[in-house]
Amino acid sequence: MANLSALTTLIGLAQRDTDAAAKKLGAELAAVDEAQQKLTMLHGYRDDYASKLEAAQMNGITPLAYHNFVAFMGKLDNAINGQHEVVKQAQAKSVMAKTTWQVCERKRLSYRTLSERAAAETLRVENKRDQKQMDEHAARQAYYKR
């Protein structure tokens, strides 16, 4: 019986760890989504700015204005490259969090399986004991009826 109690405690601890890992995984997946959205926004902003540069070139643009457009496009490209790195890092963290969650979940399920086996063994022993007592009782009844 103490074995079942210990397993119940282990299951509870494993459940707590699994819940914490799932929460962390959710946060990491949200961070990936946020980073992807920022990257998409930067790409859209760069595309809009490139269209403005093209339109300005069609209408005529001063060399200084052209230089400013090109310099800003370079800054946008740098921001996009930096955001790509942020996305990669967020994805790597989410993969690690997923692995951690899977390990915790396997551990929890292992403890649960052990608990179920222990409970089944306890029930088998109790049933065997009950059957033995019933057999002894029936044997005594038969003995006294003679």
Side-chain angles (χ1 to χ4, degrees):
M1 200 54 145
N3 193 20
L4 281 177
S5 177
L7 282 173
T8 302
T9 301
L10 288 174
I11 290 170
L13 292 172
Q15 182 67 50
R16 187 192 69 200
D17 290 347
T18 301
D19 292 345
K23 189 174 182 178
K24 175 81 171 161
L25 176 58
E28 295 299 343
L29 290 174
V32 169
D33 286 344
E34 183 180 336
Q36 288 280 19
Q37 288 174 359
K38 286 181 182 177
L39 181 60
T40 301
M41 181 189 71
L42 284 171
H43 276 294
Y45 192 56
R46 189 197 186 286
D47 291 345
D48 288 346
Y49 207 74
S51 297
K52 288 179 184 178
L53 174 61
E54 190 176 314
Q57 285 177 325
M58 294 287 207
N59 295 330
I61 187 171
T62 65
L64 180 61
Y66 178 77
H67 175 72
N68 288 340
F69 264 106
V70 171
F72 190 69
M73 293 282 283
K75 289 179 182 179
L76 282 175
D77 287 339
N78 287 339
I80 288 170
N81 290 335
Q83 192 62 30
H84 274 291
E85 286 302 313
V86 170
V87 168
K88 274 197 241 180
Q89 290 173 359
Q91 288 171 336
K93 284 182 176 181
S94 73
V95 167
M96 287 177 20
K98 181 178 180 183
T99 301
T100 301
W101 173 78
Q102 288 172 332
V103 167
C104 290
E105 182 66 6
R106 272 194 296 274
K107 186 178 185 181
R108 185 187 68 80
L109 290 174
S110 295
Y111 288 148
R112 180 163 299 213
T113 300
L114 288 174
S115 175
E116 289 170 356
R117 285 181 188 162
E121 179 62 20
T122 300
L123 182 61
R124 186 188 68 75
V125 167
E126 287 175 3
N127 286 342
K128 188 175 180 180
R129 186 188 69 234
D130 290 347
Q131 184 63 46
K132 183 178 177 184
Q133 287 176 348
M134 288 174 58
D135 290 347
E136 288 173 357
H137 181 70
R140 277 194 298 274
Q141 291 290 343
Y143 179 77
Y144 290 121
K145 281 188 177 181
R146 289 192 228 173

